[in-house]
Amino acid sequence: MASPGENFEQSPLRRTFKSKVLAHYPDNVEWNPFDQDAVGMLCMPKGLSFRTQMDSREPQFHSFIITREDGSRTYGFALTFFEEVTSKQICSAMQTLYHMHNAEQYDILHTPTTPQGPEDQRHQHTPSRPMLHAAPAISRLQRFNSYDISRDTLYVSKCICLITPMAFAQACRKVLQQLHQAVTSPQPPPLPLESYIYNILYEVPLPPSGRSLKFSGVYGPVVCQRPSTSELPLFDFAISEMFNLLGVENVLQLFTCALLEMQILLYSQHYQRLMTVAESITALMFPFQWQHVYVPILPASLLHFLDAPVPYLMGLHSNGQDDRTKLELPQEANLCFVDIDNHFIELPEELPQFPNKLEFIQEISEVLMSFGVSPEGNIYSSDSQAKYRGFRAADMVSDKRNGNLASPLNSYLLRENETIARLQALVKRTGVSLDKLEVREDASSNKDGRVQCDEEELKMHQLNIQVREVFANRFTQMFADYEVFVIQPSHDKESWFTNRDQMQNFDKASFLSDQPEPYLPFLSRFLETQMFASFIDSKILCHDDEEKEHTLRVFDARVDKIRMLNVRTPTLRTSMYQKCTNIEEAEKAIEMRVSKIDHTALHPHLLDMKIGQGRYEQGFFPRLQSDVLSTGPTSNKWAKRSAPAQWRRRDRQKQHAEHLYLDNDQREKYIQEARNLGTTIRQPKLSNLSPSVIAQTNWKFVEGLLKECRNKTKRMLVEKMGREAVELGHGEVSITGVEENTLIASLCDLLERIWSHGLQVKQGKSALWSHLLHYQDSKEKKNATPGSLGPPGFIHDTERRKSDGGGSVMPPLKISLIQDMRHIQNISEIKTDVGKARAWVRLSMEKKLLSRHLKQLLSDHELTKKLYKRYAFLRCDDEKEQFLYHLLSFNAVDYFCFTNVFTTIMIPYHVVVVPSKKLGGSMFTANPWVCVSGELAETGVLQVPRNTLEITFECQNLGKLTTVQMGHDNTGLYAKWLVECVVVRNEITGHTYKFPCGRWLGKGVDDGSLERILVGELMTPSSENDERMCRTPPMQQSPGMMRRFVTISPNSKPKLNTGQIQEGVGEAINGIVKHFHKPEKERGSLTLLLCGEYGLVWALEQVFQHGFKSPRLFKNVFIWDFLEKAQVYFESAEQREVTPDENWQTRVRHFCRFMRAINNAPRNIGKDGKFQMLVCLGARDHLLHHWIALLADCPITSQMYEDTALIKDRSLVNSLIRVLQTLQEFNITLEASLVKGVGI
């Protein structure tokens, strides 16, 4: 019967039918229960197939893997071949199917009205286009696509399969091929088949670690060997095959995707290729292990697993006809699609470079070339074996040593070989010359034929180990000092385990701060993966070497070795590329084992069978005698012989443990749980596929997504605010740009996975953007329909945010999801859908609207129903609510993830100048101007219209805003102006900055200033302050609050005592010191620390204000007046040459030079502005403490200060000087706006 869902337009011979397991021996193995469904599905993933004598019927070998729910694995090796169908019934059934099929075809061909053109009915065997003339068409169909019972022989597929706990692929393949050969060859084999199978099941032990074993197949010996505990784990697939199929460049990209736990889909017509690529890629990850869904061959009935919103590595069988475009894949935003047969790979966007990628490719290529494998890959490789045969660079190099070849590259030998032509191109490109390739002499020639396994196999092992060593060496170098950063739990394992979710197990920030800059994009994302977390968990769980799982033990031994070599520079991380050094010894170990076999198994022998048993028909694989195969040897005469079997069983369990790394139950539980933390669903169960199971699986996905969302949001908050802060309910920003980007990128991936779960309709590659576009369309259609009174969807949109301070000044931006989409659509730099979705998420995060926007998007239930299947995450109401609630927690933190990433885009800004209400500015006649500066750029002078006092302008992204310079041109009758503040808003992100002023601008009023430099802070919308879970402290207040008291109303000066003033100076200096101790990416604005509220300028102002004599009630005296008098005194003292010492003279000279430069500057910045400039320049050039010492000793001071003044108290002045000296070790760079016009 044809399996459901099959394409019935296929001709019957091309259809596939349901297969079943005919027999398995022995019936039961206690440590490895037989899973009939899984084995059946994976031996024949497409089901049974039929052929006739016209078709090719070569036996096909493939391997597969069954992963149980606990993550343990069993390998299967299958040989599929065709046997003649002897049943008349089946043959006639096939003929009937053909009659029906041809009749259908005939109907289709004669009804031109049907929408599907004849193209759709094309088959492998039909001519290029069926003609619409009746007779020729039918005869043609029959000729190409027929089965005639009288003329054709029908064949059907059958499969024999070995199931083993360890992957000895080469040995298993030989055993199966020899068994098949025994059945098909004209002479029967020496012994019944049962003898050979019994021998393999019960008498061939596992080779112990580090040993090799030889046993007999039907026709020849088979050798298998196992690495010792200090070598890389067992791996028996040909890695060269993967490089042949994909080429080094593609393999490395695929490898990077796998390390970053993307979704990976392999696509090929050959099962064995799917398996080889999957196993090779995961083996090269040593010491890390793939932690997620791993199904190298996905049976047709499990296709709904491609919907899984978790990272996966799956292999999909292609029938060789459909091209990639026909594949309907639910999610492609972070999918890596590998079309193995076409040498082609599609990568997710924003894939970071693997560290030292070019040198790494070069090193791998050298290894491959020394074995004659082209680094470009060879699309035509039918099989890796054929590859080695023709050629090996070693022979050539040895020839050259004997002087036979003039130059290896021009030789005839090379020109002959297509591989080499490609090599030549690569050689030119990479600059490797074949002379340099250090290739060992061919192993077989100098061993006098002592090598026991065949040459091909030895070469495969040599190439495998070399490539694997090169890959492993990358990780050993990159993580050479990882142990230092592992955070050991302070309490016992049990409690560590229960809080595993909240625990940090690795100090990521410190580790990354040690790494070379180019590594960061890759490493910061890699440290977030499940495989890295599990690796560190296993490190924490085993303290001594005894407990360590094999992988960890091998890796740590290598790391120690590197550390020994690098003793001279203990943890110096450089981006110098260190090549692999231990290839030689790894290879020697294998050659030793193969040339000197350690164990030979018992030979197959006659079994105790009844006469007549064990005979079979030639050409048909028989049913075997299950009674002789059901149990191993037990009776006395076998006692001696069964020792190895007993040992083997124990060894098998031990090895099984080693293979799965389960030592004791307790630890197994921990590791397993730790593995399950990030992935609720480990593996698809292959057996039961009822709708309820599928529904339950999807339910698991939904729960998994929710859990992942909870963990991600928490992790991002914790990173952003520091752990203790989160516990105390507040925090200080400390997250590097790289790390923040990593976390946000992984949040975007998670959103894409959620949006593609259960998706029915999708445009483009991003499921989230597709949904947003549908929403935008539907809203715009609704708006366009006349007569509708504003659609209900816009009720939310018109809500406006209340904001404080600037509220009356600037109506807040309308909250509109569609508007935010338009902003993104207008950015020409973003070309792809996935990019747009990410930018939109970043913008929404920065505006603290992510949760609200998504809630609104999902409130359109009609649309969600149209786009999603019933089981989709977005249609599970409770989960969806919880998910939105988790996202709400991001509102607790200020992100600048949009502003800081899209640095080159044009952004509109809106500026409003707010004059003081007390003293009406209505008579003001001069023309005001502003100049806005941010962390990325500044605008230049912008004229502000006098009547409205607001402007909107567009310019390249300024980044976070830091200062506004403002002033006027002093024209007209009344050019005095009291300004309260300036407010600037970024019209895309809605960030509003307030720059307080509270001072006059005008000649002859206040300090006579015509322009001021204002320092700003980000305003936070007040309406939300009450519901905030926790707020990061606002950036420091801007200048002027204290100063306002001081100068507008001189009588009510807040009197600070000397203790408070000292504290103020201490705090200000402390802020600056802290600033420089943070990693560069985390530093805030230095301008705020110098000129902001309670900054250094304010603190020194307090010092000089203390005890300052004010001559008359209403005339203000400014510190600058005092400094100018001091300057006059010093200059005259210099002329009189009353100089105490050389030192004093230099200090005086500096001081006077700066005073003159500031006074002569073309700017009208007023006396307080000049004082601010002096302090900033003094801090920059480390002169402040000298100047304080000068001024304290200056006679002018005694005239202008009362005796109690701080500046006259020797001990206080000395401590002030000491505090200011701490600034000497920092390299302070000033923002341009602070020192404009002063040429020092």
Side-chain angles (χ1 to χ4, degrees):
M1 80 138 201
S3 57
E6 256 320 319
N7 175 3
F8 278 103
E9 285 163 3
Q10 292 274 38
S11 66
L13 274 179
R14 298 285 154 258
R15 294 178 202 162
T16 53
F17 299 83
K18 213 176 169 66
S19 60
K20 70 167 196 173
V21 176
L22 298 172
H24 60 102
Y25 315 99
D27 267 344
N28 179 35
V29 179
E30 73 274 11
W31 48 265
N32 192 356
F34 184 73
D35 182 341
Q36 181 139 340
D37 297 308
V39 173
M41 260 186 210
L42 291 165
C43 280
M44 294 189 170
K46 283 245 146 127
L48 279 187
S49 50
F50 287 94
R51 296 270 188 280
T52 66
Q53 76 286 354
M54 307 289 286
D55 305 300
S56 82
R57 301 187 306 282
E58 279 299 296
Q60 292 293 325
F61 171 81
H62 80 269
S63 42
F64 58 85
I65 190 167
I66 299 176
T67 311
R68 296 213 187 68
E69 291 196 337
D70 65 354
S72 60
R73 292 177 177 179
T74 310
Y75 289 86
F77 299 94
L79 186 70
T80 309
F81 45 89
F82 286 88
E83 291 185 350
E84 193 178 324
V85 176
T86 47
S87 149
K88 286 279 174 293
Q89 274 167 312
I90 292 181
C91 294
S92 52
M94 180 58 81
Q95 178 123 33
T96 315
L97 280 176
Y98 259 103
H99 290 319
M100 286 158 61
H101 177 70
N102 289 347
E104 269 165 46
Q105 292 304 90
Y106 184 84
D107 290 348
I108 288 170
L109 292 180
H110 286 76
T111 38
T113 50
T114 48
Q116 64 245 72
E119 286 297 341
D120 300 347
Q121 275 74 43
R122 204 185 299 161
H123 307 301
Q124 278 180 333
H125 291 248
T126 47
S128 61
R129 180 175 299 174
M131 314 288 280
L132 288 182
H133 309 306
I138 287 295
S139 61
R140 231 174 200 166
L141 269 171
Q142 285 168 342
R143 188 168 340 124
F144 280 97
N145 217 342
S146 63
Y147 166 68
D148 181 337
I149 202 162
S150 58
R151 193 184 60 226
D152 295 321
T153 319
L154 190 64
Y155 292 89
V156 66
S157 56
K158 189 185 246 183
C159 170
I160 49 178
C161 166
L162 271 176
I163 292 177
T164 67
M166 291 179 92
F168 288 106
Q170 305 305 323
C172 292
R173 175 160 145 190
K174 284 188 184 154
V175 167
L176 292 172
Q177 282 169 341
Q178 294 190 15
L179 282 172
H180 178 244
Q181 194 186 336
V183 176
T184 49
S185 69
Q187 265 66 47
L191 293 167
L193 286 184
E194 281 84 352
S195 296
Y196 299 105
I197 291 169
Y198 184 89
N199 183 253
I200 286 165
L201 284 177
Y202 300 111
E203 295 169 337
V204 174
L206 244 179
S209 301
R211 299 296 174 86
S212 50
L213 167 86
K214 184 155 107 185
F215 62 95
S216 315
V218 185
Y219 295 109
V222 181
V223 172
C224 61
Q225 45 132 0
R226 208 170 136 198
S228 71
T229 45
S230 60
E231 295 172 62
L232 294 177
L234 172 72
F235 182 74
D236 204 30
F237 293 85
I239 288 186
S240 59
E241 179 88 352
M242 175 175 71
F243 285 103
N244 270 329
L245 291 166
L246 294 175
V248 179
E249 175 77 34
N250 283 340
V251 167
L252 203 53
Q253 299 285 40
L254 168 58
F255 183 63
T256 310
C257 290
L259 289 171
L260 299 180
E261 296 182 346
M262 310 263 176
Q263 291 173 319
I264 296 174
L265 187 59
L266 309 174
Y267 190 63
S268 169
Q269 294 183 58
H270 307 274
Y271 298 122
Q272 186 57 15
R273 285 181 181 183
L274 294 173
M275 186 72 177
T276 302
V277 173
E279 284 288 290
S280 302
I281 276 293
T282 46
L284 291 176
M285 288 177 179
F286 173 91
F288 304 102
Q289 285 160 345
W290 178 259
Q291 297 291 327
H292 300 276
V293 175
Y294 181 69
V295 189
I297 297 174
L298 187 68
S301 51
L302 287 189
L303 284 184
H304 65 279
F305 263 91
L306 292 177
D307 213 6
V310 289
Y312 57 65
L313 202 168
M314 303 207 216
L316 188 60
H317 184 264
S318 80
N319 56 12
Q321 294 163 302
D322 301 348
D323 56 350
R324 158 80 175 92
T325 47
K326 298 254 177 60
L327 270 183
E328 283 290 305
L329 298 174
Q331 44 201 55
E332 302 170 82
N334 45 352
L335 177 73
C336 169
F337 180 84
V338 186
D339 185 344
I340 297 177
D341 305 338
N342 295 321
H343 200 79
F344 164 72
I345 177 168
E346 263 174 56
L347 296 168
E349 288 179 32
E350 297 181 27
L351 185 70
Q353 277 261 37
F354 191 78
N356 291 101
K357 183 173 157 195
L358 293 173
E359 294 98 320
F360 190 25
I361 285 183
Q362 164 95 5
E363 188 177 6
I364 303 165
S365 304
E366 286 175 16
V367 170
L368 293 174
M369 285 160 71
S370 70
F371 284 88
V373 176
S374 156
E376 307 275 74
N378 175 10
I379 311 172
Y380 314 102
S381 72
S382 51
D383 192 5
S384 58
Q385 263 43 44
K387 204 69 206 164
Y388 296 130
R389 255 173 235 139
F391 164 78
R392 186 158 181 212
D395 312 339
M396 214 173 64
V397 175
S398 60
D399 255 8
K400 179 160 192 267
R401 284 196 209 110
N402 314 336
N404 297 346
L405 292 179
S407 141
L409 285 180
N410 311 341
S411 75
Y412 163 75
L413 170 82
L414 286 182
R415 282 200 304 277
E416 279 303 273
N417 193 314
E418 54 157 351
T419 317
I420 301 306
R422 279 209 207 86
L423 278 183
Q424 272 172 314
L426 183 100
V427 163
K428 287 203 186 81
R429 233 185 36 235
T430 55
V432 187
S433 80
L434 279 181
D435 318 13
K436 270 195 281 184
L437 287 176
E438 273 299 304
V439 192
R440 297 123 5 268
E441 302 294 320
D442 211 320
S444 48
S445 56
N446 53 16
K447 288 262 168 63
D448 312 320
R450 266 196 321 171
V451 177
Q452 303 280 325
C453 73
D454 59 12
E455 236 173 279
E456 299 307 334
E457 210 175 310
L458 177 63
K459 278 183 195 162
M460 183 204 87
H461 286 309
Q462 289 171 330
L463 179 96
N464 275 7
I465 199 67
Q466 288 200 24
V467 173
R468 290 174 69 202
E469 286 292 354
V470 169
F471 272 81
N473 177 51
R474 286 286 18 85
F475 288 122
T476 339
Q477 299 287 352
M478 256 188 280
F479 293 100
D481 45 6
Y482 84 101
E483 287 189 51
V484 187
F485 301 99
V486 174
I487 302 171
Q488 286 293 350
S490 42
H491 24 251
D492 61 304
K493 298 233 176 101
E494 201 57 63
S495 57
W496 171 78
F497 199 75
T498 42
N499 300 317
R500 176 68 198 85
D501 264 350
Q502 285 85 40
M503 305 301 281
Q504 282 284 38
N505 62 2
F506 192 74
D507 182 354
K508 297 174 180 155
S510 311
F511 177 79
L512 289 173
S513 64
D514 271 7
Q515 301 300 319
E517 188 72 33
Y519 290 14
L520 294 179
F522 171 80
L523 279 177
S524 59
R525 285 176 66 176
F526 180 64
L527 299 188
E528 294 300 320
T529 56
Q530 188 67 33
M531 70 175 77
F532 185 74
S534 301
F535 174 73
I536 299 296
D537 281 348
S538 65
K539 175 76 180 166
I540 289 174
L541 285 171
C542 49
H543 289 305
D544 46 9
D545 268 358
E546 281 312 294
E547 287 180 5
K548 275 189 197 169
E549 46 180 67
H550 178 211
T551 333
L552 191 62
R553 199 163 47 230
V554 175
F555 185 69
D556 281 354
R558 287 163 181 245
V559 165
D560 293 343
K561 199 161 155 192
I562 281 199
R563 283 240 199 77
M564 296 283 286
L565 294 173
N566 297 354
V567 157
R568 296 178 297 288
T569 51
T571 52
L572 183 64
R573 310 292 301 143
T574 65
S575 46
M576 275 280 299
Y577 189 80
Q578 309 271 326
K579 285 180 81 166
C580 182
T581 49
N582 48 350
I583 287 184
E584 295 270 304
E585 54 177 305
E587 223 179 347
K588 279 223 178 60
I590 289 182
E591 284 169 18
M592 286 290 296
R593 281 198 289 276
V594 177
S595 54
K596 182 182 137 300
I597 299 292
D598 300 292
H599 302 278
T600 305
L602 199 63
H603 279 285
H605 49 85
L606 272 170
L607 297 174
D608 192 1
M609 300 204 303
K610 301 193 180 66
I611 294 174
Q613 285 184 341
R615 294 225 184 108
Y616 48 85
E617 210 175 325
Q618 185 211 332
F620 294 92
F621 201 90
R623 280 221 170 188
L624 302 168
Q625 302 298 317
S626 54
D627 51 347
V628 276
L629 295 178
S630 61
T631 49
T634 46
S635 67
N636 277 339
K637 66 175 175 179
W638 291 106
K640 259 208 287 303
R641 282 179 179 163
S642 70
Q646 292 298 309
W647 151 61
R648 165 171 149 276
R649 208 167 302 143
R650 206 171 48 244
D651 195 74
R652 209 178 233 177
Q653 278 152 359
K654 178 164 153 253
Q655 154 275 312
H656 199 58
E658 213 175 274
H659 189 54
L660 306 173
Y661 320 116
L662 346 163
D663 289 357
N664 45 37
D665 308 338
Q666 191 66 1
R667 205 169 133 258
E668 148 70 342
K669 191 183 79 189
Y670 286 153
I671 295 257
Q672 206 42 61
E673 293 257 317
R675 279 193 178 159
N676 287 347
L677 275 175
T679 49
T680 355
I681 172 143
R682 298 273 315 163
Q683 288 301 330
K685 227 178 135 51
L686 293 183
S687 37
N688 180 359
L689 286 175
S690 61
S692 64
V693 169
I694 291 180
Q696 192 188 349
T697 304
N698 276 304
W699 187 238
K700 275 190 180 165
F701 284 149
V702 169
E703 286 178 341
L705 283 173
L706 193 61
K707 185 168 187 183
E708 190 177 348
C709 174
R710 195 169 56 235
N711 291 345
K712 275 232 161 71
T713 45
K714 184 158 183 189
R715 164 102 171 81
M716 286 172 75
L717 284 177
V718 168
E719 277 303 333
K720 190 80 182 163
M721 302 161 120
R723 175 165 304 283
E724 306 77 336
V726 171
E727 283 155 14
L728 300 170
H730 60 79
E732 185 177 310
V733 176
S734 68
I735 177 168
T736 64
V738 175
E739 216 173 344
E740 173 169 305
N741 270 339
T742 303
L743 291 173
I744 286 175
S746 71
L747 174 75
C748 293
D749 288 348
L750 173 66
L751 292 176
E752 284 292 359
R753 293 216 305 268
I754 287 177
W755 254 257
S756 48
H757 182 239
L759 185 61
Q760 298 201 72
V761 187
K762 180 173 106 178
Q763 319 168 337
K765 286 205 165 186
S766 160
L768 174 58
W769 192 247
S770 161
H771 193 168
L772 284 165
L773 289 173
H774 282 293
Y775 178 79
Q776 193 179 19
D777 290 348
S778 69
K779 282 288 170 270
E780 281 167 359
K781 279 197 197 95
K782 273 189 197 166
N783 289 356
T785 49
S788 66
L789 289 169
F794 266 55
I795 295 176
H796 316 284
D797 287 13
T798 49
E799 270 178 57
R800 294 173 179 277
R801 282 194 167 166
K802 304 188 275 296
S803 62
D804 55 345
S808 49
V809 178
M810 227 181 246
L813 279 179
K814 224 169 73 166
I815 293 179
S816 153
L817 187 161
I818 306 273
Q819 191 49 53
D820 285 350
M821 284 185 67
R822 289 210 189 98
H823 285 314
I824 302 296
Q825 284 159 331
N826 293 337
I827 298 177
S828 55
E829 285 91 335
I830 305 175
K831 306 275 191 281
T832 62
D833 286 355
V834 177
K836 285 176 184 156
R838 291 189 163 202
W840 182 84
V841 170
R842 284 173 180 279
L843 178 59
S844 307
M845 290 273 290
E846 187 161 323
K847 293 175 88 157
K848 305 193 177 179
L849 291 174
L850 184 59
S851 181
R852 186 165 174 172
H853 277 349
L854 293 177
K855 186 175 189 168
Q856 190 185 325
L857 176 65
L858 297 172
S859 65
D860 187 336
H861 295 301
E862 285 309 301
L863 181 62
T864 316
K865 271 189 189 145
K866 189 176 96 187
L867 299 179
Y868 287 92
K869 298 177 186 143
R870 179 64 203 95
Y871 63 76
F873 181 91
L874 296 177
R875 288 183 63 186
C876 303
D877 293 337
D878 292 355
E879 282 57 36
K880 186 176 75 187
E881 284 306 307
Q882 284 188 49
F883 158 70
L884 292 170
Y885 172 74
H886 286 309
L887 292 185
L888 198 59
S889 58
F890 288 138
N891 295 2
V893 188
D894 296 325
Y895 279 97
F896 286 91
C897 50
F898 180 82
T899 309
N900 290 345
V901 169
F902 299 102
T903 50
T904 56
I905 61 176
M906 298 302 286
I907 290 185
Y909 291 92
H910 185 67
V911 181
V912 180
V913 181
V914 187
S916 169
K917 298 193 187 55
K918 290 194 282 279
L919 302 153
S922 53
M923 303 133 63
F924 175 60
T925 56
N927 299 304
W929 57 267
V930 294
C931 169
V932 184
S933 308
E935 289 183 350
L936 299 172
E938 77 169 28
T939 58
V941 171
L942 304 160
Q943 296 301 327
V944 182
R946 193 167 61 230
N947 44 4
T948 58
L949 291 183
E950 53 183 295
I951 52 168
T952 300
F953 61 91
E954 196 174 39
C955 71
Q956 197 173 357
N957 185 351
L958 299 171
K960 291 182 203 166
L961 302 188
T962 50
T963 62
V964 163
Q965 301 152 61
M966 66 166 307
H968 60 76
D969 60 0
N970 201 30
T971 53
L973 293 170
Y974 188 76
K976 299 183 173 61
W977 195 25
L978 177 58
V979 176
E980 184 161 320
C981 65
V982 177
V983 182
V984 184
R985 181 175 67 203
N986 176 325
E987 296 290 273
I988 290 184
T989 64
H991 281 314
T992 308
Y993 294 84
K994 186 174 177 183
F995 297 85
C997 173
R999 305 284 298 263
W1000 285 91
L1001 283 94
K1003 288 277 188 237
V1005 56
D1006 200 336
D1007 65 349
S1009 168
L1010 288 187
E1011 63 175 274
R1012 294 192 182 281
I1013 301 168
L1014 310 178
V1015 181
E1017 63 153 317
L1018 185 61
M1019 286 161 51
T1020 45
S1022 60
S1023 56
E1024 298 177 18
N1025 268 358
D1026 330 344
E1027 52 190 67
R1028 284 286 158 90
M1029 290 188 272
C1030 36
R1031 275 277 307 119
T1032 40
M1035 296 151 95
Q1036 283 90 331
Q1037 308 275 301
S1038 35
M1041 297 203 19
M1042 284 302 220
R1043 217 177 287 166
R1044 237 175 285 168
F1045 297 124
V1046 176
T1047 47
I1048 295 176
S1049 44
N1051 303 342
S1052 59
K1053 280 187 191 171
K1055 285 272 186 278
L1056 296 180
N1057 61 33
T1058 50
Q1060 287 166 326
I1061 292 173
Q1062 277 185 292
E1063 197 174 315
V1065 175
E1067 283 296 299
I1069 299 279
N1070 212 358
I1072 295 173
V1073 172
K1074 262 190 188 160
H1075 169 90
F1076 282 102
H1077 278 295
K1078 285 183 188 162
E1080 213 159 306
K1081 298 195 180 67
E1082 296 176 25
R1083 296 175 183 174
S1085 156
L1086 186 59
T1087 309
L1088 275 175
L1089 299 173
L1090 293 168
C1091 312
E1093 190 182 29
Y1094 306 131
L1096 184 63
V1097 174
W1098 172 84
L1100 291 177
E1101 215 165 79
Q1102 300 311 308
V1103 169
F1104 285 110
Q1105 298 268 8
H1106 188 257
F1108 202 29
K1109 293 179 184 169
S1110 183
R1112 280 199 304 285
L1113 258 187
F1114 293 110
K1115 181 174 181 318
N1116 265 337
V1117 179
F1118 292 91
I1119 300 172
W1120 191 253
D1121 300 330
F1122 156 66
L1123 293 174
E1124 282 182 325
K1125 286 187 180 168
Q1127 178 196 354
V1128 171
Y1129 165 78
F1130 287 139
E1131 283 173 344
S1132 61
E1134 255 197 308
Q1135 276 145 24
R1136 295 198 306 278
E1137 294 177 358
V1138 195
T1139 50
D1141 64 21
E1142 188 68 28
N1143 237 346
W1144 185 85
Q1145 267 177 328
T1146 2
R1147 287 176 194 183
V1148 164
R1149 236 173 272 136
H1150 278 312
F1151 177 71
C1152 295
R1153 192 170 112 240
F1154 278 87
M1155 289 291 291
R1156 281 195 300 274
I1158 292 171
N1159 267 329
N1160 297 339
R1163 296 171 74 177
N1164 301 306
I1165 49 175
K1167 296 181 173 173
D1168 280 353
K1170 291 176 177 175
F1171 177 70
Q1172 173 169 307
M1173 204 178 259
L1174 183 72
V1175 173
C1176 290
L1177 289 167
R1180 183 192 72 185
D1181 296 350
H1182 306 131
L1183 298 169
L1184 286 177
H1185 53 282
H1186 293 324
W1187 294 346
I1188 296 275
L1190 270 186
L1191 292 167
D1193 291 340
C1194 171
I1196 304 290
T1197 311
S1198 46
Q1199 296 166 27
M1200 294 186 69
Y1201 282 88
E1202 291 158 11
D1203 292 345
T1204 55
L1206 187 150
I1207 195 91
K1208 286 191 174 177
D1209 182 326
R1210 276 248 73 66
S1211 64
L1212 289 180
V1213 168
N1214 284 342
S1215 71
L1216 179 64
I1217 288 172
R1218 272 201 305 281
V1219 173
L1220 286 170
Q1221 277 172 331
T1222 55
L1223 292 181
Q1224 274 184 279
E1225 53 181 296
F1226 303 117
N1227 182 6
I1228 293 178
T1229 42
L1230 300 177
E1231 201 174 312
S1233 59
L1234 296 179
V1235 290
K1236 238 189 212 151
V1238 178
I1240 300 190

